[in-house]
Amino acid sequence: MIKETFTIEQLSEGFFELFEDGTIQKMDPKRLKNPMDDPNLGKYSSALGIDPLLITNGDQNIVVDPGLGWGLDHNSKYENTSNAVTNLKIFGLRPEDIHHVILTHLHFDHAAGSTYVNDKLVTTATFPNATYYLHMDEWEYALSQVGRSPELIGADYRLDELYKLVAENRIKFIEEDDFTVIPGIEIIKTSGHTPGHTIVRIEDSEKIAYFMGDLIPTEFHLNRPSHPQTVLDSAQAHQAKKLILRKAYQEKAIMYFYHSLYKKTGQLTIDEKRRYILKK
């Protein structure tokens, strides 16, 4: 039995527009009120949220998928923008207070906030006292993609600054399918979206929760598959998703989504048509 209680918070970076060539830009959320009338959304681009996760028990602080990290670099062109660091301030935390950083995979929209370039133009760990966790299969696949065109729409690897984390031995490479960071925080390999994709299961004395990474990026995908051009192994993703959702439903788990635009979290249940939904 896990005796501790975790507080879970989403660290929103905002709403973004993603184009097929991988270009991403901040978007006005007012455009989501009438998306069918928008000349771009759904035709030339997709809207998505970016919501890293903060998990804390008062002693250990964990960030999952630190996001794009816009505004972190010295003299960044992104001023007055939200990122994991600005969000931590809301909860009275500094980057130095983070003990663990979990990377579900290395696509830049999930992992770029792991580092920043300081005023001496040196790549620096955003969370200097943290251990970063990544599955070895994800790192090896990412390395194999260097210099190649992305295999997935709007998702690529930008490893230049992540090499510094490896050189400084800040990354713990996981080889197991299930890995416990601290009691109650479990990294589970799902593959599918990418070869080394993982999700995070959180269990304490009061609740069970899942952070789904890009296995189930939004609440919309609870009952719908991801676009085949955004998943490397659709069959594996489908199988992992089916197993995780069945277990999460049995556990009355709370789901957290990284890319949702509307319902970003909620307890998993089913409706009268046996479809997965979030409890109102």
Side-chain angles (χ1 to χ4, degrees):
M1 171 68 78
I2 305 297
K3 296 181 180 180
E4 298 179 279
T5 300
F6 292 107
T7 298
I8 305 173
E9 304 285 355
Q10 287 176 303
L11 309 177
S12 177
E13 289 195 328
F15 297 94
F16 297 83
E17 187 171 10
L18 176 66
F19 297 86
E20 288 189 2
D21 65 357
T23 303
I24 191 168
Q25 64 185 29
K26 206 75 175 281
M27 67 172 285
D28 186 344
K30 293 179 181 178
R31 292 173 60 190
L32 298 175
K33 292 183 178 180
N34 297 293
M36 298 301 293
D37 298 330
D38 193 289
N40 288 325
L41 294 179
K43 301 179 182 70
Y44 308 107
S45 65
S46 302
L48 70 160
I50 293 184
D51 298 295
L53 206 67
L54 169 66
I55 309 167
T56 181
N57 61 8
D59 180 47
Q60 297 282 302
N61 302 312
I62 302 165
V63 168
V64 186
D65 283 357
L68 286 166
W70 283 6
L72 294 178
D73 290 343
H74 179 64
N75 286 336
S76 170
K77 66 179 181 180
Y78 303 107
E79 297 181 356
N80 301 317
T81 191
S82 177
N83 54 53
V85 173
T86 62
N87 277 279
L88 285 176
K89 292 179 181 178
I90 298 172
F91 303 102
L93 293 172
R94 306 167 302 155
E96 293 83 359
D97 297 324
I98 302 302
H99 302 89
H100 311 279
V101 176
I102 300 172
L103 301 171
T104 63
H105 61 299
L106 286 182
H107 285 157
F108 78 96
D109 58 321
H110 290 252
S114 298
T115 64
Y116 70 98
V117 176
N118 66 19
D119 57 358
K120 296 181 181 178
L121 303 182
V122 175
T123 297
T124 306
T126 303
F127 309 99
N129 298 321
T131 298
Y132 291 69
Y133 298 83
L134 176 70
H135 203 281
M136 179 60 82
D137 288 348
E138 182 67 9
W139 179 247
E140 291 180 345
Y141 176 74
L143 289 176
S144 77
Q145 297 304 295
V146 173
R148 300 174 61 180
S149 298
E151 294 190 66
L152 303 178
I153 289 177
D156 61 345
Y157 293 99
R158 303 178 187 181
L159 302 183
D160 288 353
E161 295 184 5
L162 292 175
Y163 292 131
K164 184 70 173 296
L165 297 181
V166 176
E168 294 177 346
N169 293 316
R170 295 182 184 274
I171 296 182
K172 179 175 180 58
F173 290 108
I174 301 166
E175 298 187 12
E176 303 92 335
D177 289 345
D178 298 276
F179 180 85
T180 299
V181 178
I182 62 173
I185 305 297
E186 181 184 8
I187 300 173
I188 302 170
K189 183 185 177 188
T190 65
S191 303
H193 179 63
T194 64
H197 184 278
T198 59
I199 63 171
V200 180
R201 184 179 182 273
I202 305 140
E203 179 179 1
D204 66 16
S205 58
E206 299 177 351
K207 62 186 174 298
I208 293 174
Y210 287 86
F211 178 82
M212 301 307 299
D214 274 354
L215 179 67
I216 307 177
T218 76
E219 83 285 359
F220 176 83
H221 295 93
L222 283 170
N223 303 287
R224 299 174 179 86
S226 296
H227 191 288
Q229 290 182 289
T230 65
V231 180
L232 279 177
D233 187 339
S234 295
Q236 172 59 30
H238 174 75
Q239 181 67 13
K241 176 178 171 180
K242 182 171 68 173
L243 293 173
I244 293 294
L245 285 176
R246 182 184 302 160
K247 183 178 181 182
Y249 170 68
Q250 294 170 346
E251 295 170 329
K252 297 181 171 60
I254 300 168
M255 313 299 285
Y256 288 87
F257 304 106
Y258 187 75
H259 285 309
S260 278
L261 298 170
Y262 304 104
K263 294 182 180 179
K264 296 177 178 290
T265 183
Q267 183 181 336
L268 190 66
T269 187
I270 56 175
D271 64 12
E272 65 278 1
K273 295 183 179 180
R274 306 296 296 176
R275 295 175 302 190
Y276 289 110
I277 61 171
L278 298 181
K279 191 174 182 179
K280 296 182 180 179

